[in-house]
Amino acid sequence: MGKTRLEAFSDGVIAIIITIMVLELKVPYHATVEALTPLLPVFLSYVLSFIYVGIYWNNHHHMLHACHKVSGAILWANLHLLFWLSLVPFATAWMGENHYESLPVALYGAVLFMAGIAYVILQALIIRSQGHDSVLKQAVGSDWKGKASAVCYLIAVFAAFYSSWLPQVLYVLVATMWLIPDRRIEHVLKTAKEEA
Amino acid sequence: MGKTRLEAFSDGVIAIIITIMVLELKVPYHATVEALTPLLPVFLSYVLSFIYVGIYWNNHHHMLHACHKVSGAILWANLHLLFWLSLVPFATAWMGENHYESLPVALYGAVLFMAGIAYVILQALIIRSQGHDSVLKQAVGSDWKGKASAVCYLIAVFAAFYSSWLPQVLYVLVATMWLIPDRRIEHVLKTAKEEA
Amino acid sequence: MGKTRLEAFSDGVIAIIITIMVLELKVPYHATVEALTPLLPVFLSYVLSFIYVGIYWNNHHHMLHACHKVSGAILWANLHLLFWLSLVPFATAWMGENHYESLPVALYGAVLFMAGIAYVILQALIIRSQGHDSVLKQAVGSDWKGKASAVCYLIAVFAAFYSSWLPQVLYVLVATMWLIPDRRIEHVLKTAKEEA
Amino acid sequence: MGKTRLEAFSDGVIAIIITIMVLELKVPYHATVEALTPLLPVFLSYVLSFIYVGIYWNNHHHMLHACHKVSGAILWANLHLLFWLSLVPFATAWMGENHYESLPVALYGAVLFMAGIAYVILQALIIRSQGHDSVLKQAVGSDWKGKASAVCYLIAVFAAFYSSWLPQVLYVLVATMWLIPDRRIEHVLKTAKEEA
């Protein structure tokens, strides 16, 4: 079974998720600066989530590049990841519209945490399908980024009830960590090619 | 006529269906647990429908893999299937927002029933286009899963007016039945390949 | 310049158009038959438009199959067609929600008329790009279907102000005319292949 | 790393952006001309933005045609462009619904300006990735169109607070400038091919 449709479907769902988020930027009735300012937190949370979904698309892209056989389990692990990503627009809007109050900020972190777990499951299934000398396994290594992200999300979820800035700092930190080009997979794939 | 665009278009429509369902999770105005709890039934019906649409995408994927010639009849049978699937978000939201009252639960079952019938029609047309030794025919066999699902949907539609839990049990049961990996088509295709 | 992205983009836009129409089926607040009945005209207009957009996708599919070179003019003629198709959800909802009153019914016809004209322009540009022995030219022939549709739409637009049923009959008639398998292009392409 | 998924994802996002704009054409409750006329400015701004997004898709199409290697930087520059384009529906609706008042007209220009800058960044990254004899570099040349557009947007943003027609004239002018077939890339690519 080919992976073309899996990629196409995932691209479609992620493209829709990243785009419908903007629908939560409700068009104000008046043409004044005052009408626009309440949208600022919604806009900022949109920017953050746009970057997060962009990171997921980017990494998903790399990961599937290294995957050759698509099993039923991989299909469902992929849908599981898309499910949690589909909740990002809701969490983003709730957080932005309530000006970063505790509960929405915690829920936002929880959705990111679950998406992270779903990503790790999908990654593990692809690695298992590749057998002993998995290229993806080598590329991911100890996956410290994935683990650090999960820990940061968890801290953010709990910190949301005590601090108004710590969770945001953590969310921005994790995003920045992933934005720094992740050449692990690219690199190992290249090396594997050159060795062959 | 190739099947690439048929797959691409179906992927697009199914990706949109599965994603716009989440728009029915209306963002609450307050940042409290009390504001979130009324969304629980909407969320649960979203999870159920996400799995159903995922199953359809998955099976559609396998079925078209076994299809080589796309006739006008197959094109329209496919659009017919997409039509009923496009009603799933409406039925899901109506059921969730009305806390699983009889009529919406029955309508939900009716939409699933019609989608099931549309799927069987599409399957029959593909099998007919493959002629005598249809690989898909062998793979599907007696199609007991399809038949059992249709019967369960029908029972659920009528049971909706007498029981509050039986239809839900049936919907979850059918979904579980399909979630258990359906290797029929994969298996027969593989065997056909090895024999050749 | 390849046509793959043109097809992919058109598929994407048409898939979104056909799917967002269903968002106009607003989820009723109550779980009663009385709450559902006002949606019936909206539903019927959705069914009609779903079939129309399906026909356009189907014909677009065939037409581009016969097109090999994509010029800038063809790209813009295609966007022009997509523009008018993008107004179908609006016209559909206005017609359905106002229970088929004169003005919305006329607007619906006008949008279909403009989409028809846009289709003919795109077709003419593709034929011109193919030169003398255009396969598409042979396939389309006198294009009586296209001409008859345009005339029917125009009659429907004016009839909308005098009759409540004539426009609907015309819309259903045109759709039926196109639903009857249009093997012209398929046929000529096949013949051209066999001759070669 | 292939560019197929980059194209597919961009096509998906642009297709959604161009289509969800039409959702801002809110279906009026009454079936009268009076109910329709307030939508005219919204409709006109929709037409303008449809053309702008069409131009971006068209140029993006050409530009990526000339791109062979997709780096991480190109991926993110592409997402950056999509981010600004995703704000077009919001800016369009705000401008149309407030009948072209100063602030929304300025914001519209600002979003177009930022999208233009993002496009130039993406273009520069692709040129850099092609090295010395970049085909795209030759094709774009001094990129006077890109520079003239940016200047026009900036003038429009400031003019919005003093004139009600000048910004609109500028927006239409820039769109027209791009609509006139841009054969630079096509031409240079063709020449490069013939020389080889």
Side-chain angles (χ1 to χ4, degrees):
Chain A
M1 195 204 310
K3 68 175 176 179
T4 317
R5 271 193 81 180
L6 184 70
E7 287 185 338
F9 185 72
S10 307
D11 279 356
V13 171
I14 296 175
I16 299 161
I17 288 170
I18 215 169
T19 322
I20 62 173
M21 275 194 297
V22 90
L23 293 177
E24 285 302 328
L25 270 179
K26 302 270 168 59
V27 179
Y29 287 109
H30 300 291
T32 59
V33 175
E34 289 72 35
L36 211 56
T37 40
L39 286 178
L40 194 65
V42 185
F43 178 72
L44 290 177
S45 67
Y46 172 57
V47 174
L48 184 65
S49 293
F50 192 95
I51 293 171
Y52 265 113
V53 178
I55 290 167
Y56 269 105
W57 175 70
N58 205 331
N59 290 348
H60 190 264
H61 186 145
H62 278 87
M63 185 161 66
L64 278 177
H65 199 68
C67 163
H68 300 292
K69 281 173 294 180
V70 177
S71 66
I74 289 174
L75 267 174
W76 280 104
N78 190 58
L79 275 168
H80 180 230
L81 171 60
L82 295 178
F83 174 76
W84 290 107
L85 289 180
S86 82
L87 294 178
V88 169
F90 174 83
T92 304
W94 200 38
M95 183 170 77
E97 287 168 20
N98 286 286
H99 298 212
Y100 303 91
E101 279 190 43
S102 304
L103 196 61
V105 169
L107 185 85
Y108 187 79
V111 168
L112 288 180
F113 177 75
M114 291 309 296
I117 297 296
Y119 188 84
V120 167
I121 294 173
L122 177 56
Q123 190 173 261
L125 282 167
I126 296 178
I127 288 175
R128 210 175 59 185
S129 81
Q130 294 186 322
H132 271 300
D133 50 347
S134 160
V135 174
L136 184 59
K137 174 79 200 165
Q138 284 173 259
V140 169
S142 67
D143 195 21
W144 67 268
K145 269 195 185 180
K147 284 170 190 161
S149 306
V151 171
C152 286
Y153 295 147
L154 272 189
I155 296 175
V157 168
F158 292 104
F161 299 99
Y162 303 102
S163 160
S164 61
W165 57 267
L166 183 55
Q168 303 308 319
V169 169
L170 287 166
Y171 296 149
V172 171
L173 195 80
V174 173
T176 315
M177 188 176 79
W178 286 101
L179 270 172
I180 296 165
D182 186 10
R183 295 203 173 122
R184 293 178 303 173
I185 301 182
E186 270 184 81
H187 180 72
V188 176
L189 274 172
K190 215 177 149 189
T191 317
K193 232 181 189 170
E194 286 164 4
E195 280 171 3
Chain B
M1 194 204 309
K3 66 175 176 178
T4 317
R5 271 193 82 180
L6 184 70
E7 286 184 339
F9 184 72
S10 307
D11 278 355
V13 172
I14 297 175
I16 299 161
I17 289 170
I18 215 169
T19 322
I20 62 174
M21 275 195 296
V22 89
L23 293 177
E24 285 302 329
L25 270 180
K26 302 270 167 59
V27 179
Y29 287 110
H30 300 292
T32 57
V33 175
E34 288 73 35
L36 211 56
T37 40
L39 286 177
L40 193 65
V42 184
F43 177 72
L44 289 177
S45 67
Y46 172 57
V47 174
L48 185 65
S49 293
F50 191 96
I51 293 171
Y52 265 112
V53 177
I55 290 168
Y56 269 104
W57 176 69
N58 205 331
N59 289 348
H60 190 265
H61 187 145
H62 278 87
M63 185 162 65
L64 279 177
H65 199 68
C67 163
H68 300 292
K69 282 172 294 181
V70 176
S71 65
I74 288 173
L75 268 173
W76 281 103
N78 190 57
L79 275 168
H80 179 231
L81 171 61
L82 295 178
F83 174 77
W84 290 108
L85 289 181
S86 83
L87 294 179
V88 168
F90 174 82
T92 304
W94 200 37
M95 183 169 77
E97 287 168 21
N98 285 285
H99 297 212
Y100 303 91
E101 280 190 44
S102 304
L103 196 61
V105 169
L107 185 87
Y108 187 80
V111 168
L112 288 181
F113 178 75
M114 291 309 295
I117 296 296
Y119 189 85
V120 166
I121 294 174
L122 177 56
Q123 189 173 261
L125 283 167
I126 295 178
I127 287 175
R128 210 175 60 186
S129 81
Q130 294 186 324
H132 271 300
D133 51 346
S134 160
V135 174
L136 184 59
K137 173 79 198 163
Q138 285 173 259
V140 170
S142 67
D143 195 19
W144 68 267
K145 268 194 185 181
K147 285 171 190 162
S149 306
V151 171
C152 286
Y153 295 148
L154 273 189
I155 296 175
V157 168
F158 292 104
F161 299 99
Y162 303 102
S163 160
S164 61
W165 57 268
L166 183 55
Q168 304 308 320
V169 168
L170 286 165
Y171 297 150
V172 171
L173 195 80
V174 173
T176 315
M177 187 174 80
W178 286 100
L179 269 172
I180 295 165
D182 185 11
R183 298 208 169 117
R184 293 178 302 173
I185 302 182
E186 271 183 80
H187 179 71
V188 176
L189 274 172
K190 215 177 149 189
T191 317
K193 231 181 189 170
E194 286 164 3
E195 280 171 3
Chain C
M1 195 203 310
K3 66 174 177 179
T4 317
R5 272 194 80 180
L6 184 70
E7 286 184 338
F9 184 72
S10 306
D11 279 355
V13 172
I14 297 176
I16 299 160
I17 289 171
I18 215 169
T19 322
I20 62 173
M21 277 196 294
V22 88
L23 292 178
E24 284 303 328
L25 271 179
K26 302 270 167 59
V27 179
Y29 287 110
H30 300 292
T32 58
V33 175
E34 288 72 35
L36 211 56
T37 39
L39 286 177
L40 193 65
V42 184
F43 178 72
L44 289 177
S45 67
Y46 172 57
V47 174
L48 185 65
S49 294
F50 191 96
I51 293 171
Y52 264 112
V53 177
I55 290 168
Y56 268 104
W57 175 70
N58 205 332
N59 290 348
H60 190 265
H61 187 146
H62 278 87
M63 185 161 66
L64 279 178
H65 200 68
C67 164
H68 300 293
K69 281 173 293 182
V70 176
S71 65
I74 288 174
L75 267 174
W76 280 104
N78 190 57
L79 275 168
H80 179 230
L81 171 60
L82 294 179
F83 174 77
W84 290 108
L85 290 181
S86 82
L87 294 178
V88 168
F90 173 82
T92 304
W94 201 37
M95 182 169 78
E97 286 168 22
N98 285 286
H99 297 213
Y100 302 91
E101 280 191 43
S102 303
L103 196 61
V105 169
L107 185 87
Y108 187 79
V111 168
L112 287 181
F113 177 76
M114 291 308 297
I117 296 297
Y119 189 85
V120 166
I121 294 173
L122 177 56
Q123 190 173 260
L125 282 168
I126 294 178
I127 287 175
R128 211 175 59 185
S129 80
Q130 294 186 323
H132 271 300
D133 51 347
S134 160
V135 174
L136 185 59
K137 172 81 198 161
Q138 284 173 260
V140 170
S142 67
D143 195 20
W144 66 268
K145 268 195 185 180
K147 285 170 189 163
S149 305
V151 171
C152 286
Y153 294 147
L154 273 189
I155 296 176
V157 168
F158 292 104
F161 299 98
Y162 303 103
S163 160
S164 61
W165 57 268
L166 184 56
Q168 304 309 318
V169 168
L170 287 165
Y171 296 149
V172 171
L173 196 80
V174 172
T176 315
M177 188 175 80
W178 286 101
L179 269 173
I180 295 165
D182 186 11
R183 300 208 169 118
R184 295 179 302 174
I185 301 182
E186 270 182 82
H187 180 72
V188 176
L189 273 173
K190 214 176 149 190
T191 316
K193 231 181 188 171
E194 286 165 3
E195 280 171 3
Chain D
M1 194 203 313
K3 66 174 177 180
T4 316
R5 271 193 82 180
L6 184 69
E7 287 185 337
F9 184 72
S10 307
D11 279 356
V13 171
I14 297 175
I16 299 160
I17 289 171
I18 215 170
T19 322
I20 61 173
M21 276 195 294
V22 89
L23 293 178
E24 284 303 327
L25 270 179
K26 302 270 167 60
V27 180
Y29 286 110
H30 300 292
T32 58
V33 174
E34 289 72 34
L36 210 55
T37 40
L39 286 178
L40 194 66
V42 185
F43 178 72
L44 290 178
S45 67
Y46 172 57
V47 174
L48 185 65
S49 293
F50 191 96
I51 294 171
Y52 264 112
V53 178
I55 290 168
Y56 269 104
W57 176 70
N58 205 331
N59 290 348
H60 190 265
H61 187 146
H62 278 87
M63 186 162 64
L64 279 177
H65 200 68
C67 163
H68 299 293
K69 280 172 293 181
V70 177
S71 65
I74 289 174
L75 267 174
W76 279 104
N78 191 57
L79 275 167
H80 180 230
L81 171 60
L82 294 178
F83 174 77
W84 290 107
L85 290 180
S86 83
L87 295 178
V88 169
F90 174 82
T92 304
W94 201 38
M95 183 170 77
E97 286 168 22
N98 286 286
H99 298 212
Y100 302 91
E101 279 190 44
S102 304
L103 195 61
V105 169
L107 185 86
Y108 187 78
V111 168
L112 288 181
F113 178 75
M114 292 308 297
I117 297 297
Y119 188 84
V120 167
I121 294 173
L122 177 56
Q123 191 172 259
L125 283 168
I126 295 179
I127 288 174
R128 210 175 59 186
S129 80
Q130 294 186 322
H132 273 298
D133 50 347
S134 160
V135 174
L136 184 60
K137 173 82 199 163
Q138 284 173 261
V140 169
S142 67
D143 194 19
W144 66 269
K145 268 195 185 180
K147 285 171 190 162
S149 305
V151 172
C152 286
Y153 295 147
L154 272 189
I155 296 175
V157 168
F158 291 105
F161 298 99
Y162 304 101
S163 160
S164 61
W165 57 267
L166 184 55
Q168 303 308 319
V169 168
L170 286 165
Y171 296 149
V172 172
L173 196 80
V174 173
T176 315
M177 188 175 79
W178 285 101
L179 269 173
I180 296 165
D182 186 11
R183 299 206 170 119
R184 295 178 301 172
I185 302 183
E186 270 183 82
H187 180 72
V188 176
L189 273 173
K190 215 177 149 191
T191 317
K193 231 181 189 170
E194 285 164 3
E195 280 170 4

